[in-house]
């Protein structure tokens, strides 16, 4: 463990001012940052604690928006009645993440910033293999090694890792926006654009960049369109039911067409609108935008949904050991849509 200076922020603005200094990190729940320090993934000369900032807490409804502070814990968000009613996919994603003890500490602001769970990356220094995230330009040991859990979209020869956050997938599917504060003032980042694939980062000239958040910026909260009339679901496929990261996941919101007797009362319900995003298939949540454009008018049956999702996933580029993830992700998306639409 390296020595570092520690300070408690009194306001979000003072936290941002501190972040302007070199080698400064933010700590909230601490469930991820302390692991980075222990493994040598990150090192800081200064750590600023934002845990006392009540302005970053709270879950409220403002008009047609649900607002969640960045310091809301996963359990708080997952169990809050406003979240369960207006953003059920997010509530489910929060409660399926980690363990109950970690969810009591982990914050929604920090969770979306967690790093990949790739075993070649999550190893104590010094590494005896190449990892471009730890040693830029050194290569990717996972490409020639084990990669069954790695990306099927957006990867490059430098890195094939995936983003493991559960809530990030739901936030993307629900068209949420992150409120961000930086030296230039506040701004918002759509959660569908918040994370970057390796290919997108390379296009920006920063191959190892993982998000659009600047190093001197702070997430202060999220705004989510309220969807009281939509059914929602989050499906997480994992090796065990607790304290495990997803192999693949899918979040969906569905509104059924109204036949005049109430939504979804036709013999075979049809979709009016739908949104769906995949998780653990890329270094960012993967919205199936082509499917979202095609789903209106589609029958809410597995037989009708499956080809729509397959067409939306036609650009998948699996690695030799993870081609199964294409089928698994397709099935997770179909299942999420069926559950959200009330057909399962």
């Amino acid at each position: 463990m390296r020595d570092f200076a520690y300070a408690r922020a009194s306001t979000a603005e003072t936290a941002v001012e501190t972040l302007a200094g070199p080698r400064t990190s933010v700590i909230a729940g601490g469930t991820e940052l302390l692991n980075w320090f222990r493994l040598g993934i990150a090192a800081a000369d200064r750590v600023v604690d934002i845990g006392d900032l009540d302005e970053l807490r709270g879950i409220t409804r403002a008009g047609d928006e649900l607002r969640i502070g960045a310091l809301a814990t996963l359990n708080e968000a997952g169990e809050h009645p406003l979240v369960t009613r207006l953003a059920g996919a997010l509530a489910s994603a929060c409660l399926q993440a980690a363990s109950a003890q970690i969810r009591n500490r982990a914050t929604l602001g920090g969770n979306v910033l967690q790093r990949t769970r790739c075993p070649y990356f999550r190893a104590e220094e010094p590494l005896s293999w190449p990892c471009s995230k730890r040693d830029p330009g050194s290569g990717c040991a996972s490409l020639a090694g084990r990669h069954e859990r790695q990306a099927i979209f957006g990867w490059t020869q430098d890195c094939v890792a995936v983003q493991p956050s559960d809530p990030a997938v739901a936030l993307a599917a629900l068209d949420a926006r992150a409120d961000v504060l930086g030296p230039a003032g506040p701004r918002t980042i759509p959660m569908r654009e918040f994370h970057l694939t390796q290919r997108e980062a390379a296009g920006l000239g920063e191959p190892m960049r993982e998000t659009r958040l600047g190093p001197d910026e702070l997430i202060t909260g999220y705004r989510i369109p309220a969807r009281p009339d939509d059914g929602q679901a989050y499906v997480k496929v994992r090796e065990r039911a607790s304290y495990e990261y997803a192999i693949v996941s899918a979040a969906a919101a569905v509104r059924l067409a109204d036949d005049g007797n109430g939504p979804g009362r036709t013999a075979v319900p049809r979709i009016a609108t739908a949104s769906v995003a995949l998780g653990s298939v890329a270094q960012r949540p993967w919205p199936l935008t082509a499917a979202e454009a095609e789903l209106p008018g589609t029958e809410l049956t597995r037989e009708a949904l499956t080809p729509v999702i397959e067409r939306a996933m036609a650009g998948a580029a699996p690695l030799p050991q993870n081609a199964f993830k294409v089928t698994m992700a397709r099935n997770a998306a179909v299942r999420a849509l069926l559950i959200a639409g009330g057909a399962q």
Side-chain angles (χ1 to χ4, degrees):
M1 179 63 74
R2 298 179 177 89
D3 290 338
F4 55 82
Y6 171 85
R8 287 181 177 271
S10 57
T11 65
E13 288 76 14
T14 59
V16 169
E17 290 172 6
T18 305
L19 281 175
R23 290 168 59 91
T24 301
S25 296
V26 168
I27 190 169
T31 60
E32 176 73 321
L33 182 66
L34 298 181
N35 281 326
W36 297 353
F37 287 175
R38 176 178 60 83
L39 295 172
I41 291 171
D45 293 331
R46 295 189 297 175
V47 172
V48 56
D49 191 335
I50 62 172
D52 290 337
L53 301 185
D54 289 340
E55 62 191 283
L56 304 187
R57 300 187 186 280
I59 299 174
T60 60
R61 181 174 183 174
D64 293 331
E65 284 187 331
L66 176 65
R67 297 187 179 182
I68 304 177
L71 289 183
T73 68
L74 298 188
N75 271 342
E76 288 171 346
E79 296 172 353
H80 198 284
L82 281 176
V83 184
T84 58
R85 182 163 58 89
L86 302 176
L90 177 60
S92 180
C94 288
L95 295 181
Q96 291 187 61
S99 66
Q101 294 90 337
I102 289 178
R103 292 196 302 269
N104 281 332
R105 289 290 303 168
T107 64
L108 197 55
N111 181 271
V112 303
L113 295 173
Q114 65 181 291
R115 307 291 298 276
T116 180
R117 299 289 153 175
C118 172
Y120 297 99
F121 172 77
R122 292 260 174 179
E124 290 190 36
E125 61 178 356
L127 299 185
S128 56
W129 50 76
C131 175
S132 288
K133 286 189 180 298
R134 302 282 293 271
D135 181 14
S138 63
C140 178
S142 186
L143 262 178
R146 296 189 60 177
H147 49 250
E148 63 271 16
R149 284 178 170 257
Q150 306 290 39
I152 59 174
F153 293 103
W155 56 272
T156 66
Q157 294 294 314
D158 285 324
C159 182
V160 295
V162 300
Q163 163 57 235
S165 170
D166 293 301
V169 182
L171 289 166
L174 299 179
D175 293 312
R177 294 173 294 155
D179 287 326
V180 170
L181 182 64
R187 69 182 181 114
T188 62
I189 305 175
M191 287 304 295
R192 291 192 168 211
E193 303 171 9
F194 185 88
H195 295 91
L196 298 165
T197 67
Q198 293 89 337
R199 193 172 300 145
E200 290 167 341
L204 296 175
E206 302 178 70
M208 291 302 106
R209 186 171 181 177
E210 297 181 10
T211 74
R212 298 185 188 276
L213 187 73
D216 53 0
E217 290 184 314
L218 181 72
I219 298 174
T220 59
Y222 302 93
R223 302 184 189 203
I224 307 167
R227 298 188 180 203
D229 300 323
D230 290 7
Q232 297 185 25
Y234 181 72
V235 171
K236 182 175 182 177
V237 182
R238 46 186 168 172
E239 291 184 349
R240 61 175 186 257
S242 178
Y243 202 28
E244 179 64 288
Y245 294 92
I247 302 173
V248 300
S249 65
V254 172
R255 183 174 302 175
L256 297 178
D258 191 343
D259 66 355
N261 296 314
R265 297 297 180 86
T266 54
V268 179
R270 291 182 180 270
I271 293 173
T273 62
S275 58
V276 59
L278 300 175
S280 293
V281 297
Q283 194 173 256
R284 63 168 170 83
W286 198 262
L288 296 176
T289 53
E292 291 169 343
E294 189 177 348
L295 282 169
T298 302
E299 292 183 349
L300 190 70
T301 64
R302 185 175 301 276
E303 294 74 19
L305 295 174
T306 297
V308 176
I309 300 301
E310 286 179 340
R311 286 189 288 273
M313 293 183 60
L319 296 157
Q321 297 170 16
N322 72 358
F324 70 92
K325 290 185 74 169
V326 177
T327 301
M328 188 177 285
R330 178 204 69 190
N331 291 346
V334 170
R335 185 178 173 200
L337 288 165
L338 289 171
I339 294 173
Q344 277 196 359

